[in-house]
Amino acid sequence: MGRPFYLTTTLPYVNADPHIGFALEMVQADILARYHTLIGDEVFFNTGTDEHGLKIYQRAIEEGKDPQAYTDEYAAKFRRLKEKLNLHPDLHFVRTTDPDHKEAAQEMWRRCLAKGDIYKKKYKGLYCIGDEMFLKESDLVNGKCPNHPTMDPIEIEEENYFFRLSTYQDKILGYLHRESSVVPNWRREEAIKFVERGLEDFSISRDKARLTWGVPVPDDENQVMYVWFDALTNYISTLGWPFDSAQGKPDDFEKYWERGFTLQLAGKDQVRFQSVMWQGMLMSAGLKNTDRVFYHGFITSGGQKMSKSLGNVIDPIAIVEEYGIDALRYFLARHVHPFDDSDVTMGRFKEAYNADLANGLGNLTARIITLAEKNLPEPIQRPEAVGFPKEYTDAIEQYEYNRALSYVWERIQKLDRRITEEEPFKLVKTNPEKGRILIAECASELYAIVRMLNPFMPEANETIKKAILENKKPPNLFPRKE
Ligand SMILES: [Zn+2]
């Protein structure tokens, strides 16, 4: 039995179509889910949709829809990503409007309350609807939220419940001082600095007079939960927490969250939510902290943030429709930096597609299988499944997808060179026996290379392996694009 491995993306808000940044996080997570499955771990892979909060409520009203109908529509769009991005077959999908999730959020609340970490107070502050959070004076840039320079923060005064995050300052620091808690390491240092500046308690509910769209606060009919408090709980509600055992079902929470290794993926702007706020909530509820959070960078296009008005939006679904799913997955893994911001243009995408996929992998596959089909009397034996090279596994386990694929492409180039230098197409005429041995060796090496594509390009992995074992040239996987 493999080791239990849990991983989750953040849940996107359902107020827009899936964008390339989320596709990046989804593909990065899926590569790990497939990799861990491949090496024999038992994987629990979670994603879903974050559906409460003022921003979503307002958008639904603007569109003249009932909030539940509005979120149903968007949740279905995000659910379709499973097919569009060819995600792991066992992907779990949690919606924060699911009844089980809402009950879990309420249980989380009750536990924090029982611990003495929830209290009520009058509060006045500036609220950014874009981020669904109160801003501190020190956050403001020219009086606006730094993430939303075109939106005016709104002044809110009301009586809310607060969570005693300040109580957990030292404990959270202790957690962040574990080297493995955050990847990359400089993001961990950033988190430590953020906590060292002092943690403030934060409001975790909203007055129903202002917002009804949320999980009801237990035993207070006038308040709903702050969207973050509810949404963060999804990471464990998806595992059936806290109800599983009572229902006598296998306890995924115990298996994956408590005994397994837990990994969360998130964008670089999420540090204070995922590595601070959520960890404080877990501590308060007496639950194990997340083992590690991996933060990716942002994608810009042509040096600017993508926007409809600039016309530089890169639509992941349009790429999939024109170039195929593996082309998108490949590009996000190899040519987008796993941790830093990356700039992506369609020009750069096409260049990489033609060079690495059409001319590289596609061409090599056609070359070798054509030779094999013509000259080998029967298909090669399935090569024995040996372990993967350390260069490759180390890179993936450090989330350096670009490095893992550079290694795979070095092997592709090396094999290409071997064919050019040793000319099996000529050798097979002058010395058929030696020629056939060389062709079979090239086919085995291609098989070994393609095995390593399993987590990254599941379709190419299957198609090429099958073609080698059937000794039959596959359809052109990556037609050149002009
Ligand atoms: Zn904001």
Side-chain angles (χ1 to χ4, degrees), residues 128 130-131 145 147-148:
C128 172
D131 286 311
C145 167
N147 297 332
H148 298 93

Side-chain angles (χ1 to χ4, degrees), residues 5-16:
F5 181 84
Y6 167 96
L7 83 167
T8 184
T9 67
T10 48
L11 302 194
Y13 275 132
V14 288
N15 65 340

Side-chain angles (χ1 to χ4, degrees), residues 89-157:
D90 298 335
L91 177 67
H92 293 257
F93 192 96
V94 62
R95 293 183 59 183
T96 59
T97 53
D98 289 340
D100 282 358
H101 169 79
K102 289 199 245 182
E103 282 186 47
Q106 290 176 325
E107 177 63 15
M108 178 58 102
W109 182 286
R110 284 190 198 98
R111 290 212 184 183
C112 297
L113 184 70
K115 189 77 180 288
D117 289 333
I118 293 180
Y119 62 96
K120 213 169 184 183
K121 80 165 183 187
K122 255 218 159 64
Y123 186 77
K124 189 168 143 187
L126 287 175
Y127 191 77
C128 172
I129 297 173
D131 286 311
E132 295 281 9
M133 72 173 186
F134 279 102
L135 301 164
K136 287 195 258 177
E137 279 301 324
S138 58
D139 288 331
L140 299 178
V141 176
N142 300 324
K144 309 262 170 106
C145 167
N147 297 332
H148 298 93
T150 60
M151 288 167 80
D152 281 316
I154 53 173
E155 192 168 271
I156 291 179
E157 182 176 6

Side-chain angles (χ1 to χ4, degrees), residues 16 176 197 294 297 427:
L176 291 171
R197 280 200 295 273
F294 155 30
L427 186 62

